[in-house]
Every structure is written in structure tokens, then in C-alpha cells.
Amino acid sequence: MAVASGNPAEAATRDHDLAVAPLLPLANGDFARNVQRMIVVRFAAGFGVFAATVICVYWLRLPLPETWLYSIGLFILLFNIALYELTRRARTQPEPAQTQVITRLVVAQVAVDWAATALFIHLTGGISSPAIVLFLIHMMMVAILLPGQSPYIYAALGVGATLVIALLERAGIIPHYTVIPALPDALHLDPVFILAQLTFLALIGFITVYLTATTMKLLRERERQIATLLRTTQVVSSSLSLDEVMESLTRSVAQALDAPAASLRLFDSSGERLEMAVAHGLSQDYLDKGPIRVSQSPLDQHVMNQPWVIIDDVSRDGRLQYRDEVLAEGIHSMLVVPVAGRQRVLGVLRVYAYQPGAFDEKRAEFVRAIAQQGALGLENALAHDALKQADQQRSEFVRVATHELRSPVAGAQSLIRAMLHSLAGDMTEDQRDITRRIEARLDALRNLVDDLLDLAASQTDISITPSVELHLDRILQNLMSEWSTQAAEKQITLEMNLPTASQVVVCGVETDLIRIFDNLIGNAIKYTPPGGRVAIDLAAGPVWVSTRVADSGIGIPEDELPRLMTEFFRASNARHANIPGTGLGLSIVRRLVTRHRGTIDVQSVPGQGTTFTVRLPYSCGESTAATGS
Ligand code: ADP
């Protein structure tokens, strides 16, 4: 007993996703998590203000405006509770709304933090306050959270706020609080001291922001690159679709480098021109400029033997075939990497930037790694496409050839039948015997032609997806009555057991289902000796509709079962018994069952019988069909 089973370029407008990219400071989850961390730190700051005030006033006996300080602490805590709640709610929203709301909340909290810190510094001694360093911590946090120029603007605001406090206190417009009695009284009035404090604050502040911001930028880019590599590897190793691999490759590279545009060009069959395969962020005009002739493009000739080529300034580089068009597109720097397969270069990956000098070796190395991954996927997808094409051509050839054979065979059959019915005059017994043998050979030939046509159809119609609800019980009943005469002639009992539910619905293609079960029932009758039995059982489970076609026939030798359902295979016992057949029926059945996302199993004991079980899913894709109505 054993089992056999069956189971051009894209014209892209400016990419909106990329336009949003700079707003997303970190991978979204991390951004929200960092904001929550900032909120936790603020809770500590709120309690810290309370604790520090108590220590300073009651222990160190410093002359501080305690009511104000407690108020600031309380305000920080209440504001923070509100922020905590708003951020929690925002995190339940879908992207990109979530990041937009959280970004707004970050801006709001930074502004309030700044105001609270400025007030706190004023209340703890203004320009001579030891709390001035608090601004540095804030600057660092803003540089962690917000991308681009914002941290520098916030740093300037912090220094500006301290300057304003110092000037207002110096002019006597707002009072000055002396926190550390040991400090000279007039220290906050001393312009040299004010200048020195502000200079150090500005210097250390900007250095802190610069170091934090550049480190964060690097981290964000690295994070995006790792995510891109992972995504590309996943797509490349799991997809055989050429479009999907090319699309993923180009889009991921642009996103990972935060580049406004990227493209993938592949060599055409002549190997002389690079045709646009996928593009992101390039205008239609740019795409319309047509393929690149490698012989006229020194850049592409150059890159074939290099790991990459960086064009820092398009306007000064003479290696481009379409330099004016590139400049008209607003592109000023470019990174070009060959997409090298195992044996040949398949094409080139280009990443574009609107400013000169946007690419360095680190970025180039990353794009090269992606291109190497992508090349593997492209080769697999190209090979798969070529195989599919060859398979389709073969099926098409078989279809055309057999179709052409069908008419002469059918003609010969009817002529022979006419002779056997003595329409061409009487025949001797010997002549009749020979003519009958010719008729049998022609019948076998006709069966082969029909099976080959069915096989070709089952291979070429692969795009037809099962999508109609069909009553399988009715299909089987019709087939039963079609086969009943032949079964009766062989004295074979033909029976069918339906489930209690009156109707069994499956999603399928009617002609395919008829072909599947016509083949199985026909085989069961053909390979069962006279006096035997053929039973069809239909059972509806929760996921599958299961149909068993069981016979008490000659069975199949166990060691031959693995080859069953391969094209032209016939079991040895069937051949020895001279039972006519082509060995194609089951391979057609297997293909059709697979197309229906079903399975087919066979169990057989030689001399006792064979049971084929076909399981077909109720649902085709999203839709579900019910049993019994
Ligand atoms: P054909 O019946 O035309 O030879 P099939 O592809 O339908 O081609 O079947 C392939 C082989 O599987 C048959 O030649 C036969 O050896 C074996 N087979 C199929 N169905 C049965 C069955 N019900 N009982 C015994 N052998 C079977």
C-alpha cells in the first residue's frame, strides 16, 4: 500500500511612500517605544523636582521659591499623565496616522519641556543656576527622537531661552533667585560670566546634538538597511515571480537609502542594451528616453567590471549616455551597481539623489549586498520563467500536433466502421478479422490523441482558477449513469454512497471535475474483472469534500505505486493483461486536482482492488461553500 499525492518597465510617479520616509525617525515601533521612554524619564523628572526642592529648602535651607517649584513639579506630572494617555491611544491607531500623531505629541512635549526647564532655571538662579545642564539632557533626547534639523533648532531655542532669562534678570525686569549663597551676589550681572556660561552651553549643547544626531542617523540607516536586506532575502528566497523580485529589490534599496528614486535595468536578449525593468520615483518623461546602449554608455561599460560606480556630480561627469535628461530630472548624484548572476551580469541597479555627493562607499557596499541577493532571486525567477515558457511551448506543440491527428484518425475510424457494416461490399471472415484489428488499433490511437489533448489542456489552462460552486454529487451521479451500461456489460456492480446532506458543493471548474472522476471511474471499471464491484463514496468534512473511488479489480503492484500518475506510466499487470490504455489519464487527474488545491491518494492491494481518494477544498480562496442545502 502506498500513496501518491498532488499538491517592463513600470512607469512610476514620484513615490509618496518615500516622501513620507523622512518623517519616520525610526522603525515605527521603536519610535513609539522611545517616546514612551521619554515619558517615563519625565515622571522621574517631576518627582525629582519635588525631592530636590524638599532637600534644598528643608535640609540645605536654601532660599528657594518653593511654591513655584512644587507647582512646576506638579505641572510636569499632570502634563505627563495626559501625554502618557494620548500616546497610549495613538499607539492603537494604524500607520501612518500613528506616527503622525506621535510626532505631533513629541513636538508638543519638547516645547512644554523647554518652557518648564527655562522656568526651572530661572527659579534656581538663572544664568548661575546649576540646573542649566538640564538643557543638555533635553537636547540629547530631542536628537534621539527627532530627525533632520529639528534637534539643532531646539538646541538654539534652549540657549536663546537662557539668554533671555539672563538679560531679563540683569535688567531687573524679573527677579533673580540666589540659590547658592556662596556665589557672589552680582555674579548674574557680570557680562563676562553670562557670556562664558552661554558660550559653554551653546558649545556643549551643539556638540551633544551633533554627536547624538549623527549616531542616531547612522543607527537609523543601519536599521533600515538590515530590515531591507532581511526583506529582500525573504522575497528572493520565497518568490519565483520575476516582477515581485525586481519590484522588491528596487523599492527596498530606495527606501533603505532614503533615496528619492531607484531603477533596475536588465540586459535585453542581444546583451547590448539595458532595458528599464522597474523604476521608482522617476517621471514618465525620464522613462520614455528608452533603453541604454552599453556601447554608448561609458558608465555602464565601466560598472561591468567594478563592484560599483559613484557619480558624485552628474553635471561634471561625462560617462552618462543621457546626462541632460538625468539633470532635467533633478538628479545630481548616482550610485550604480552591477547585478551579477553566477555566469553573467544580468543588469544594473541605480539609486538616484537630488543633491550632489549623496553616496559613499558604505552605502555602495550595502547596495552591492542587496544586488547580490537580488541577482540570485532574479536568476531563479528568470530560469523559472524560461522553464514555464518551454513547458508551455511543449504543451502547445502537443496540442497542435494531436489536434491535427484527430481528424484523420476519426475519418479512418468511420471508414473502417463503414467497411465492417458491409457498406463497401461483403468481406471474407479473414478480411473482417483484420479490419476489426485495424479498428481496435485506431480506437487506441484515438484514445491516445484524446488523452494527449487533455494533458496539453491541463498544462496550458493553468491560469484558469476554480471559482464556481459546483454540486459534486450531481456530477458524480451523471457520470454513474454514463458508465452504467459499460459496467452492466461487464457485470460489474456500480454503487454510490452520498453523505446525509443532500448536496455537496465544491468550488471548481466543471469540465475539470468531470475529467477527474470520469478517468477514475473509467479506470475502476476497466481494471476490474467481470463480476467485480466499483463503489463511489462521497463524504463532506469540515474542510474537505472527499471522494473515494474503490474497486475490487487487479490492483497495482506496490513497488510501482510511486511512479503512478507520471506521464505514460502503465503498471506491469495492466500491460501483461493486455488491457488497453495510454498511461496519461492519471497524470491529467493529478494536475487537475492540484489546480483545485486538492490532494489525491491511492491505496492498492494487487489482486484485491484499488481505492483512489480525491480531497477537494470547499473554498476557493476567500469564498466558502456550504454542504447541504
Ligand atoms: P491508462 O488507464 O490509460 O493506462 P492511466 O493514467 O489512467 O492510464 O493509468 C495509469 C496506470 O495505472 C494504468 O495503466 C494502470 O496500470 C494503473 N491503474 C489506474 N487505475 C487503476 C485501477 N483502478 N486499478 C488498477 N490499476 C490501475
Side-chain angles (χ1 to χ4, degrees):
M1 201 194 313
V3 172
S5 55
N7 275 324
E10 179 191 303
T13 49
R14 300 246 176 247
D15 197 324
H16 294 291
D17 289 357
L18 289 175
V20 177
L23 274 180
L24 308 177
L26 281 175
N28 301 338
D30 285 354
F31 181 44
R33 240 171 279 133
N34 274 353
V35 171
Q36 277 191 330
R37 242 174 254 150
M38 191 164 158
I39 291 173
V40 172
V41 171
R42 196 174 299 104
F43 272 122
F47 287 116
V49 170
F50 273 105
T53 311
V54 168
I55 291 171
C56 290
V57 174
Y58 295 102
W59 190 30
L60 301 175
R61 306 232 164 252
L62 298 178
L64 287 177
E66 51 187 303
T67 322
W68 271 107
L69 289 171
Y70 289 136
S71 308
I72 293 181
L74 189 66
F75 172 76
I76 291 176
L77 291 177
L78 292 177
F79 173 70
N80 213 34
I81 291 171
L83 266 180
Y84 181 83
E85 184 53 24
L86 289 172
T87 309
R88 197 186 58 77
R89 278 193 212 167
R91 285 192 76 175
T92 59
Q93 288 188 26
E95 286 297 347
Q98 182 187 126
T99 303
Q100 278 165 4
V101 173
I102 294 182
T103 307
R104 257 177 246 140
L105 285 175
V106 168
V107 172
Q109 54 191 295
V110 169
V112 171
D113 280 351
W114 248 224
T117 311
L119 191 58
F120 188 75
I121 285 170
H122 165 57
L123 296 171
T124 53
I127 193 74
S128 57
S129 167
I132 276 185
V133 285
L134 280 180
F135 265 130
L136 294 179
I137 296 175
H138 276 306
M139 288 174 193
M140 202 189 296
M141 280 164 75
V142 174
I144 289 174
L145 285 172
L146 295 179
Q149 303 305 313
S150 348
Y152 295 99
I153 297 171
Y154 282 109
L157 285 177
V159 177
T162 316
L163 171 69
V164 170
I165 293 169
L167 292 178
L168 291 177
E169 283 187 15
R170 194 169 186 277
I173 298 171
I174 54 171
H176 171 72
Y177 299 94
T178 307
V179 196
I180 303 171
L183 290 177
D185 266 356
L187 188 62
H188 68 285
L189 303 174
D190 181 4
V192 178
F193 177 70
I194 295 175
L195 197 68
Q197 279 287 75
L198 283 172
T199 310
F200 279 117
L201 180 65
L203 207 67
I204 298 174
F206 280 102
I207 291 174
T208 306
V209 167
Y210 173 75
L211 290 178
T212 316
T214 43
T215 311
M216 287 307 292
K217 198 174 162 212
L218 210 72
L219 279 178
R220 281 174 200 133
E221 184 159 319
R222 280 274 175 268
E223 190 180 20
R224 269 203 304 263
Q225 290 180 352
I226 291 169
T228 307
L229 254 175
L230 201 70
R231 212 171 30 237
T232 315
T233 312
Q234 275 166 353
V235 172
V236 159
S237 58
S238 65
S239 172
L240 281 175
S241 152
L242 191 58
D243 286 347
E244 202 181 335
V245 173
M246 295 192 305
E247 171 76 30
S248 152
L249 193 66
T250 320
R251 179 175 280 267
S252 320
V253 161
Q255 277 177 345
L257 295 193
D258 222 354
S263 71
L264 173 68
R265 284 180 179 274
L266 293 182
F267 276 108
D268 67 357
S269 51
S270 71
E272 284 166 11
R273 297 181 336 159
L274 283 162
E275 304 264 8
M276 187 67 88
V278 181
H280 282 293
L282 295 173
S283 71
Q284 191 56 48
D285 280 351
Y286 187 81
L287 296 175
D288 286 345
K289 69 189 170 64
I292 288 177
R293 285 195 172 279
V294 180
S295 54
Q296 290 166 21
S297 169
L299 168 66
D300 292 292
Q301 287 164 20
H302 191 188
V303 82
M304 292 304 143
N305 314 310
Q306 301 290 324
W308 61 73
V309 170
I310 294 173
I311 294 191
D312 277 328
D313 190 347
V314 171
S315 59
R316 291 167 183 222
D317 206 303
R319 287 176 291 176
L320 284 160
Q321 185 186 352
Y322 295 104
R323 190 168 61 174
D324 292 345
E325 286 84 345
V326 175
L327 285 170
E329 188 71 6
I331 295 165
H332 286 279
S333 56
M334 207 191 258
L335 168 62
V336 189
V337 176
V339 180
R342 270 162 288 218
Q343 267 147 33
R344 64 180 180 101
V345 176
L346 307 172
V348 288
L349 192 59
R350 282 165 156 67
V351 195
Y352 310 92
Y354 295 146
Q355 72 278 22
F359 301 102
D360 55 17
E361 297 218 333
K362 285 236 164 319
R363 297 181 133 208
E365 252 168 40
F366 162 73
V367 177
R368 190 184 176 210
I370 290 274
Q372 279 170 341
Q373 285 291 322
L376 284 179
L378 282 178
E379 272 192 333
N380 290 344
L382 284 167
H384 181 254
D385 265 16
L387 272 178
K388 232 167 60 183
Q389 231 175 0
D391 208 36
Q392 266 167 7
Q393 280 169 354
R394 188 185 61 129
S395 302
E396 186 56 16
F397 170 76
V398 172
R399 197 186 66 75
V400 173
T402 44
H403 194 261
E404 292 303 309
L405 274 175
R406 204 183 206 175
S407 318
V409 173
Q413 272 181 314
S414 57
L415 289 173
I416 287 287
R417 282 195 191 113
M419 280 176 72
L420 283 170
H421 286 98
S422 306
L423 293 181
D426 286 341
M427 285 192 278
T428 63
E429 214 27 62
D430 280 353
Q431 285 171 333
R432 190 170 288 279
D433 187 43
I434 290 170
T435 315
R436 277 210 192 92
R437 275 155 59 191
I438 296 174
E439 187 195 24
R441 291 289 171 102
L442 281 177
D443 286 350
L445 187 57
R446 174 68 188 266
N447 282 341
L448 179 63
V449 168
D450 286 349
D451 278 357
L452 279 171
L453 276 175
D454 278 355
L455 184 70
S458 75
Q459 288 168 337
T460 47
D461 298 352
I462 208 79
S463 56
I464 302 171
T465 43
S467 57
V468 186
E469 285 184 9
L470 298 166
H471 294 287
L472 186 57
D473 51 325
R474 279 191 218 151
I475 292 177
L476 291 173
Q477 267 162 344
N478 288 342
L479 285 170
M480 287 276 287
S481 54
E482 278 174 27
W483 282 104
S484 59
T485 324
Q486 208 158 324
E489 277 171 9
K490 265 183 101 176
Q491 287 134 33
I492 288 174
T493 317
L494 192 56
E495 58 184 50
M496 178 157 147
N497 301 308
L498 288 176
T500 32
S502 57
Q503 289 179 331
V504 180
V505 177
V506 291
C507 203
V509 176
E510 187 164 14
T511 47
D512 288 355
L513 294 185
I514 293 174
R515 254 185 228 164
I516 292 170
F517 294 106
D518 188 49
N519 255 303
L520 294 179
I521 299 171
N523 275 354
I525 294 172
K526 183 162 72 168
Y527 295 108
T528 298
R533 184 176 155 270
V534 172
I536 298 153
D537 289 277
L538 192 55
V543 184
W544 304 98
V545 173
S546 172
T547 312
R548 286 190 335 141
V549 180
D551 63 55
S552 60
I554 62 170
I556 300 159
E558 191 173 341
D559 59 327
E560 296 183 23
L561 278 172
R563 279 187 294 149
L564 200 75
M565 301 194 213
T566 54
E567 284 161 28
F568 297 106
F569 175 75
R570 305 208 62 215
S572 52
N573 56 350
R575 277 186 278 118
H576 293 148
N578 277 335
I579 303 173
T582 61
L584 286 174
L586 286 183
S587 61
I588 296 167
V589 167
R590 184 176 53 98
R591 280 172 195 275
L592 297 180
V593 170
T594 306
R595 189 193 295 177
H596 281 71
R597 294 183 297 124
T599 62
I600 177 165
D601 299 336
V602 56
Q603 297 178 333
S604 187
V605 180
Q608 289 186 23
T610 305
T611 301
F612 282 93
T613 307
V614 175
R615 285 187 201 84
L616 296 169
Y618 286 122
S619 112
C620 287
E622 301 299 287
S623 62
T624 39
T627 47
S629 54

